[in-house]
Amino acid sequence: MSALMRLYQAANALEANLLKGMLQAEGFDIQLRGENLAGAAGELPLSVQQVDLFIVEKDYQDALRLLSRYEGNGKTEWFCHQCGEKNGSNFELCWQCGQPKSE
Ligand SMILES: [Zn+2]
């Protein structure tokens, strides 16, 4: 049994699930904590609820590298001009509504 490490703190459940899906597609096993799973956290709307991504220790460094790509290596994020969603610099389409990145 491997220890779980906190990989990332997502701003909300939407972002957490997006990242979880991306990491799972790369073969990582991600667990979310703070989501509406354990009754105690159930009072807050999902949109304002922070969710932590946990990963087994042995995969931590690899997953962190992947995440840093998601975060654009410190390059600029952009905001969708249609829905206002914040997107990582490596996204060409808004992940929320599919609108292409504007110039
Ligand atoms: Zn959008």
Side-chain angles (χ1 to χ4, degrees), residues 16-26 30:
N17 280 292
L18 174 84
L19 291 171
K20 181 185 179 187
M22 183 185 77
L23 288 159
Q24 281 183 330
E26 299 286 335
I30 299 296

Side-chain angles (χ1 to χ4, degrees), residues 78-85 87 93-99:
W78 56 281
F79 290 87
C80 175
H81 61 88
Q82 176 156 296
C83 73
E85 188 60 46
N87 292 282
L93 301 174
C94 174
W95 65 266
Q96 178 85 296
C97 71
Q99 187 76 11

Side-chain angles (χ1 to χ4, degrees), residues 1-102:
M1 197 163 75
S2 306
L4 290 177
M5 293 181 67
R6 191 171 80 172
L7 179 65
Y8 186 80
Q9 185 172 52
N12 56 55
L14 282 176
E15 185 186 24
N17 280 292
L18 174 84
L19 291 171
K20 181 185 179 187
M22 183 185 77
L23 288 159
Q24 281 183 330
E26 299 286 335
F28 295 110
D29 187 21
I30 299 296
Q31 296 193 28
L32 300 182
R33 298 283 168 79
E35 215 182 11
N36 205 1
L37 302 171
E43 290 89 25
L44 290 170
L46 287 180
S47 57
V48 299
Q49 196 174 319
Q50 289 195 331
V51 178
D52 294 333
L53 279 75
F54 281 82
I55 192 164
V56 291
E57 197 169 359
K58 68 179 174 60
D59 288 341
Y60 179 78
Q61 292 295 337
D62 289 339
L64 207 59
R65 266 196 293 278
L66 191 71
L67 269 186
S68 70
R69 287 218 303 272
Y70 159 79
E71 290 181 320
N73 301 312
K75 283 182 293 198
T76 51
E77 294 163 324
W78 56 281
F79 290 87
C80 175
H81 61 88
Q82 176 156 296
C83 73
E85 188 60 46
K86 185 172 80 175
N87 292 282
S89 60
N90 58 331
F91 283 86
E92 294 303 318
L93 301 174
C94 174
W95 65 266
Q96 178 85 296
C97 71
Q99 187 76 11
K101 183 179 180 176
S102 58

